[in-house]
Amino acid sequence: MPANTLPRILVLGAGLGGTIAAYEIRDATKGRAEVTVVSDSEDYWFVPSNPWVAVRWREPDAIRVPLAPVMAQKGIGFTSVGATRVHPTESRVELRDGSSMSYDWLVIATGPELAFDEIPGFGPDGHTVSVCKTDHAAHAADAFDEFCKNPRPIVVGAAQGASCFGPAYEYALILDTELRRRKIRDQVPMTFVTSEPYIGHLGLDGVGDTKGLLESQLRERHIKWVTNARVTRFDDGMAHVEEVGEDGAVKKTHDLPFGFSMLLPAFRGIKAVYGIEGLTNPRGFILADKHQRNPNFKNVYSLGVCVAIPPMGPTPVPVGVPKTGFMIESMVTAVAHNIAAELDGRQPNEVPSWNAVCLADFGDGGVAFVAQPQIPPRNVNWSSHGKWVHLAKVGFEKYFLKKVRSGVSEPFYEKLALQVLGINKLKETTKEDVR
């Protein structure tokens, strides 16, 4: 490397984790490295608002941020060409236009590939809608408008292998709220179908009393549920579901008619990283140590939904662990600090807290929980509900979009608020961590 050439840090992905990571790494390295973002889109989309888009409570453009101008203002390189393959043995990323970019450090923040194809008839190309991407949610809004002209049953939930359950509950209860506003709720039987062993498990074995709170919400709104559910296929207007017992045997089968259905799919790693020995697990998620660094390729870090995290424990139907927003931001901070340490010739020593702060909006209320850390056993295990959650979610949307538009990963008032609440992004460093 020529003496006047700065080390290059590539950030692969520009979702919640990748965008904030680029800002924070740029600030942490203070001009000592060249930071470049490789995305497959020109825009950032605030995915937590997709359930609102899917009932027209938000228009897609309201949650979109064009990234190139912000990145340029921050002195961060940006391309939306997208990547076809990571070559970690060569420290190189191959792009969709046939070119390649070399790196000194790679931060993988790609998010997942949506595994709709694992269930026949599933997904936007099949018989169900999706809120996983904003364009999916926009199509779901069109389908919902058509559905409301001819109300029929609704099936909502999360399929086997899913690891993101909050939006399923959100969307079910948002649909309930919107149907009541349209005065057709009485014409729409609703069933919540989930691979969780119980309502409110959330892939986390519950947080506080999420079981009681969410069961109560479903009961009050006349939404039936099927847990330990394994969907075998979707036909046009019919979901075929197996209810599995504790011994793993099929206890009961359900043929659930629907005029409108949205289930969250299982995730897997994207094709650009899938199947790379030493980099990913068999599902294509990135292997990472406690510092978010790959144990085999030491110049590769990862954060967000693409990170491999083992499930909480055995369940009759496969259930993954969610990576919530604040948990991802804690990974971002650890990665930024650890790369800065390596630039200084030191070993990585920061460990993300994996604390979770979650707001699940139901349109006229919601459920909030704090888990410190997200994975049990926990120091804090709290949940609550009320109309304040809806207002808090609206405020958080506006605040986070402002962060992305301004290119600031953590304004001072956010840092102060977190300190007051005792919620940290990094674990306290121990002697063991710095060895």
Side-chain angles (χ1 to χ4, degrees), residues 137-215:
H139 291 307
D142 293 338
F144 181 67
D145 283 342
E146 286 301 309
F147 164 83
C148 288
K149 297 175 184 176
N150 179 23
R152 285 154 290 158
I154 284 179
V155 176
V156 182
Q160 57 268 27
S163 58
C164 185
F165 296 93
Y169 287 101
E170 277 194 309
Y171 194 48
L173 295 167
I174 284 170
L175 284 171
D176 170 82
T177 299
E178 180 61 19
L179 289 167
R180 283 187 282 112
R181 289 176 180 174
R182 297 190 187 207
K183 302 189 184 307
I184 56 173
R185 178 67 179 89
D186 60 316
Q187 302 174 52
V188 182
M190 290 182 67
T191 305
F192 189 82
V193 173
T194 178
S195 53
E196 299 162 277
Y198 58 83
I199 293 297
H201 180 280
L202 302 173
L204 297 169
D205 200 12
V207 181
D209 188 29
T210 49
K211 181 179 189 294
L213 290 175
L214 290 170
E215 279 191 356

Side-chain angles (χ1 to χ4, degrees), residues 165-167 170 202 204 207 210 322 324-327 355-361 366-371 374 382-384 388-389 392-393 396:
F165 296 93
E170 277 194 309
L202 302 173
L204 297 169
V207 181
T210 49
T324 58
F326 189 83
M327 179 186 184
N355 290 334
V357 181
C358 185
L359 302 170
D361 171 61
V367 168
F369 67 79
V370 176
Q374 178 160 301
W382 172 88
S383 60
S384 183
W388 68 269
V389 179
K393 184 73 177 277
F396 179 73

